[in-house]
C-alpha cells in the first residue's frame, strides 16, 4: 500500500482544513498555518499547507513521519518513484 493510499483512508476535509486519522493517531492541518496538530500536540511544518486549483496541498513527508507512515523512495531512470 502506498503512503497516499494510507493517508487517503482516514481523510476528512473542509474548505481549508484536512484531518488524517490513522489507527490511534490524528493529524490536522490548515491552509496558511505552518504547524499541524497531532494527537493534541502542535508540531511545526517547514511550509504551510496551501490551496492550489481547489486542492489543499500538505507537506507529506512531515505528515507521514508524524503518523508513523514509512515512505520509501527509489531512484529510477525516470526520477524518483514512491513505493
Amino acid at each position: 500500500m502506498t503512503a497516499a493510499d494510507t493517508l487517503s483512508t482516514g481523510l476528512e476535509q473542509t474548505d481549508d482544513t484536512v484531518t488524517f486519522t490513522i489507527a490511534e493517531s490524528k493529524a490536522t492541518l490548515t491552509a496558511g498555518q505552518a504547524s499541524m496538530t497531532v494527537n493534541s500536540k502542535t508540531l511545526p511544518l517547514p511550509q504551510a499547507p496551501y490551496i492550489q486549483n481547489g486542492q489543499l496541498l500538505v507537506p507529506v513527508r512531515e505528515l507521514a513521519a508524524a503518523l508513523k507512515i514509512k515512505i520509501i523512495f527509489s531512484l529510477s531512470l525516470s526520477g524518483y518513484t514512491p513505493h
Side-chain angles (χ1 to χ4, degrees), residues 52-69:
Q52 180 177 328
N53 297 326
Q55 293 187 333
L56 180 58
L57 304 178
V58 302
V60 174
R61 183 180 304 268
E62 289 75 17
L63 175 60
L67 294 174
K68 297 179 176 54
I69 298 170

Side-chain angles (χ1 to χ4, degrees), residues 11-69:
L11 173 72
E12 292 180 42
Q13 183 175 350
T14 61
D15 292 333
D16 65 347
T17 300
V18 63
T19 300
F20 297 90
T21 304
I22 306 296
E24 301 292 320
S25 297
K26 182 177 181 178
T28 301
L29 299 91
T30 302
Q33 293 184 10
S35 63
M36 66 178 156
T37 303
V38 180
N39 299 331
S40 303
K41 292 175 63 176
T42 301
L43 303 175
L45 293 170
Q47 178 180 358
Y50 60 96
I51 297 173
Q52 180 177 328
N53 297 326
Q55 293 187 333
L56 180 58
L57 304 178
V58 302
V60 174
R61 183 180 304 268
E62 289 75 17
L63 175 60
L67 294 174
K68 297 179 176 54
I69 298 170

